Amino acid sequence: MLVVAAAALLLYWPLMLWANVGAAQRSLNSGAELGCATALACATQLRNPVLPAPAQLGRSLQAMSVPPLAPTSVPYNTLVTARETVVGLLIASVLGVLLAVALVGSRAFERLTLPWLIASQTVPVIALAPMLAVVLGQYGVQGWLPKALIAAYIAFFPVAVGVAAGLRSPDPMQEDLLTTYRASGWQTFWTLRLPASLPFLFTSLKVAATAALIGSIVAEISTISFSGLGKMLAENSRASDTLALWVIMLYGAGLGIALVAVLGLIERLVTPWRAGQSR
Amino acid sequence: MASRTVALGRGRTGRLPGRGWLALALGAALLLAAVWNVWSFPLDGVPPGRKATSLALIVLGLAGGISGLAALARRMTGLVPALLAALLTLLAVEGLLRAYGVPPGLIPTPTRVATALYTSRSVLLGDARVTFVQEALLGYLAGVGAGIVVALAAVRFPFLERGALPYAGLFASIPIVALAPVIVKAFGLEWPSKAIIVAITVFFPVVVNVVRGLQSASPLLLDLMQTYAVTPAASFRLVRVPSALPFLFNALKIGATLALIGAIVGEFFGTTGQGLGFRIQIEAGRFNLDIVWAAIVIASVLGIAFYGVISWLEMRFTSWHASRRQPG
């Protein structure tokens, strides 16, 4: 794994030089003061590189995260987005599980709504976020809560569909066994269906976590917000600050990876009997 | 097909045939009456009496319609109950929005959306062509192609699988929105930058799934091939490829839902003035929500159709697989 990472880094250098040389040559031709002589040397020092040089990236990474809790620093904004995402994910999992129980409990409910649940996964729900934000804002829901709600809205469908599949997953033999024990519907649910759905729950929660993160970032972009990764993305995208965008992307990626990793950890604690098989 | 199942169900359960339909029709009629009751009033001019009547009609209509649908859905399969449920919901939404005078700058009524869909169809279709055909479809094909090639390489060279595959899972949890602005800045505002975003989002699920699929081939079958002295290439084609197909199609379906989202999100960060994402953003800024919702409807229809085509292909190519054999 480390060898491949090293190889990727080594390949990155010529790629970066190749991508930046054209832009560097153009700014040299335009007569700008760059403090470097040849296009190849300038390729690592562009203000807005196509691909940033590692040293450049490291410098702005440091510059943007040094007072970690200042309102303009990336770590602080990452935490804001993380809060929206986690709250959204919690709301989404409660809603999703309730919906899944209803889906499994009633055939009629399933036939009326399941096609729409499946369809909703193919719908670019992202496109709804700006409107949801406007509507919620109109009714006085402001600040970080609407972003969490939008994150929840985007994330609860994967949970519902996944858990519904999980609640149906127990072996028919086991269901028959519980029937011979004269277990009630609720007892079957608590002792058999719910535990059987847990692995599915965690798989879909991992999907939902990324979805929720996307939701909260998009919500921040498309609504009035004063902090968060999305707000920083929108600002720096408008200002064409490529280096800042790269730094924010790295933090966003880190947040996404951390969320999935935490869920994996919880999964291992909650379903220890599967620790060997699942990753 | 739906009518056949209804007939079968009727014969089996011996229910009264028309009761569900009757309740549904009654509910729909009540909802229509609720809409008609407040149809011709301006936004803030609905008299309180009419508003209350409409509200009561909506509650009654929904209760009747849903109870009828519930009875029907017990015996009916397929898309019909879901479509009827959507019809009821749309009617109720139309009635509620009109009764309460919700401004169209907040939530437009379904009829306004339908009108916008019709009047600005040429613009929207142009947007759909850019977003779907150029950005989503081309990016999807490129991502799937690259994913399959990398997966084949990873299976062929275990070194790559151990070294590079863990990164695939890692990269897959990077949110597209964080990636999109960087790529748009690096590759320009034209459609290729969005196609590249789509390709990247599709790439990782394909790699992970195809590798898992190629390795899921039963060792017994591979041994059997060896005893038949089949060449490795033929054994690959006859055993490994078929066992990878269900996994590939799983990834293709995930990718189909991601592709449109990737294209639309990419457009939020800069375009050359066409595309559904661009349209949604700019018209939402002007509070022209009719057109925004119309664009969303088009995007949804495209997304569902895309997913449907992939599912159909899946059925054609993996109809032998265990997951397809189960009823329902």
Side-chain angles (χ1 to χ4, degrees):
Chain A
M1 219 180 141
L2 285 176
V3 177
V4 171
L9 270 184
L10 278 181
L11 281 177
Y12 182 79
W13 262 98
L15 185 71
M16 179 268 296
L17 288 176
W18 174 76
N20 289 345
V21 136
Q25 188 63 56
R26 247 174 288 134
S27 27
L28 270 184
N29 291 346
S30 72
E33 281 296 318
L34 286 175
C36 49
T38 62
L40 210 59
C42 289
T44 59
Q45 300 173 23
L46 287 176
R47 177 86 48 85
N48 280 317
V50 180
L51 289 175
Q56 260 183 324
L57 198 58
R59 266 201 304 280
S60 31
L61 196 62
Q62 198 197 3
M64 292 183 74
S65 48
V66 148
L69 290 179
T72 50
S73 79
V74 192
Y76 169 79
N77 286 290
T78 309
L79 283 181
V80 172
T81 305
R83 174 174 66 175
E84 292 160 8
T85 309
V86 169
V87 174
L89 195 58
L90 286 177
I91 302 173
S93 35
V94 172
L95 264 181
V97 170
L98 288 180
L99 204 62
V101 170
L103 278 176
V104 174
S106 155
R107 272 275 126 166
F109 184 76
E110 184 198 336
R111 284 188 189 148
L112 292 181
T113 56
L114 193 62
W116 297 115
L117 289 188
I118 294 171
S120 76
Q121 282 202 299
T122 72
V123 167
V125 191
I126 300 292
L128 288 173
M131 256 137 313
L132 275 176
V134 173
V135 172
L136 288 173
Q138 200 75 19
Y139 292 105
V141 186
Q142 272 165 354
W144 60 272
L145 192 59
K147 283 115 191 168
L149 286 178
I150 291 167
Y153 181 71
I154 290 174
F156 89 98
F157 288 118
V159 177
V161 174
V163 174
L167 289 173
R168 289 215 181 82
S169 69
D171 196 340
M173 293 246 296
Q174 294 173 324
E175 285 178 44
D176 286 350
L177 182 68
L178 280 178
T179 316
T180 60
Y181 287 166
R182 209 163 160 273
S184 69
W186 275 111
Q187 283 170 324
T188 314
F189 183 83
W190 281 115
T191 56
L192 178 59
R193 291 194 183 275
L194 208 59
S197 76
L198 280 180
F200 289 81
L201 172 69
F202 280 103
T203 312
S204 37
L205 272 184
K206 283 179 196 164
V207 177
T210 338
L213 181 54
I214 294 174
S216 48
I217 293 181
V218 169
E220 283 166 3
I221 292 172
S222 53
T223 60
I224 304 161
S225 46
F226 304 103
S227 51
L229 286 178
K231 174 248 176 193
M232 295 200 84
L233 276 177
E235 250 179 18
N236 289 301
S237 171
R238 232 172 281 137
S240 284
D241 190 345
T242 322
L243 281 173
L245 285 179
W246 273 82
V247 172
I248 300 165
M249 179 190 78
L250 287 180
Y251 269 97
L255 180 55
I257 291 166
L259 281 173
V260 173
V262 167
L263 282 173
L265 203 68
I266 299 175
E267 175 179 21
R268 206 166 285 177
L269 291 178
V270 176
T271 60
W273 64 92
R274 280 180 51 94
Q277 340 166 4
S278 71
R279 281 172 299 137
Chain B
M1 194 197 109
S3 62
R4 203 188 63 210
T5 16
V6 171
L8 279 176
R10 199 185 296 155
R12 216 182 297 132
T13 55
R15 272 172 186 278
L16 276 177
R19 208 157 53 183
W21 285 108
L22 208 65
L24 177 65
L26 188 71
L30 287 176
L31 286 175
L32 269 178
V35 173
W36 176 77
N37 186 36
V38 287
W39 179 263
S40 52
F41 290 98
L43 269 184
D44 45 358
V46 184
R50 291 245 171 165
K51 194 190 269 187
T53 321
S54 265
L55 196 63
L57 284 173
I58 287 170
V59 170
L60 281 177
L62 271 185
I66 288 174
S67 67
L69 263 183
L72 285 177
R74 260 180 229 124
R75 288 176 278 138
M76 234 197 244
T77 52
L79 279 180
V80 182
L83 286 176
L84 291 173
L87 185 73
L88 281 184
T89 316
L90 284 180
L91 277 176
V93 167
E94 178 89 33
L96 276 179
L97 290 180
R98 281 191 184 272
Y100 279 90
V102 177
L106 205 53
I107 314 171
T109 62
T111 46
R112 288 187 68 108
V113 175
T115 320
L117 203 56
Y118 182 75
T119 49
S120 36
R121 58 188 182 280
S122 59
V123 175
L124 288 172
L125 282 181
D127 289 338
R129 190 180 53 77
V130 172
T131 302
F132 184 69
V133 179
Q134 291 188 328
E135 297 173 1
L137 206 57
L138 284 181
Y140 182 80
L141 293 178
V144 169
I148 291 177
V149 169
V150 170
L152 288 178
V155 172
R156 179 71 184 74
F157 306 104
F159 161 74
L160 267 185
E161 189 209 328
R162 257 179 291 128
L165 215 56
Y167 291 111
L170 214 61
F171 276 107
S173 49
I174 294 178
I176 331 166
V177 251
L179 206 67
V182 171
I183 292 174
V184 171
K185 282 288 173 304
F187 292 96
L189 298 178
E190 302 282 333
W191 63 266
S193 65
K194 264 71 78 182
I196 290 171
I197 295 171
V198 173
I200 291 176
T201 49
V202 173
F203 175 76
F204 292 111
V206 170
V207 173
V208 173
N209 275 292
V210 171
V211 167
R212 215 182 285 155
L214 287 173
Q215 287 171 343
S216 75
S218 146
L220 264 175
L221 287 178
L222 289 172
D223 281 352
L224 183 69
M225 288 293 130
Q226 204 146 32
T227 58
Y228 287 164
V230 170
T231 61
S235 148
F236 186 85
R237 185 166 49 82
L238 291 172
V239 178
R240 284 203 190 267
V241 170
S243 55
L245 273 183
F247 288 84
L248 172 65
F249 273 108
N250 191 20
L252 288 184
K253 284 207 273 192
I254 297 173
T257 70
L258 290 178
L260 258 177
I261 296 177
I264 287 179
V265 169
E267 285 174 6
F268 283 176
F269 290 98
T271 43
T272 45
Q274 249 195 334
L276 290 172
F278 168 79
R279 193 69 53 200
I280 287 169
Q281 212 190 15
I282 200 147
E283 298 293 344
R286 292 182 192 153
F287 286 92
N288 250 342
L289 292 192
D290 307 4
I291 298 184
V292 174
W293 281 96
I296 291 174
V297 168
I298 289 190
S300 318
V301 170
L302 282 176
I304 295 166
F306 195 18
Y307 189 87
V309 168
I310 304 283
S311 307
W312 179 77
L313 284 176
E314 181 182 27
M315 224 161 60
R316 290 277 323 252
F317 284 103
T318 64
S319 48
W320 44 267
H321 191 252
S323 64
R324 288 273 148 199
R325 237 179 283 148
Q326 290 158 2

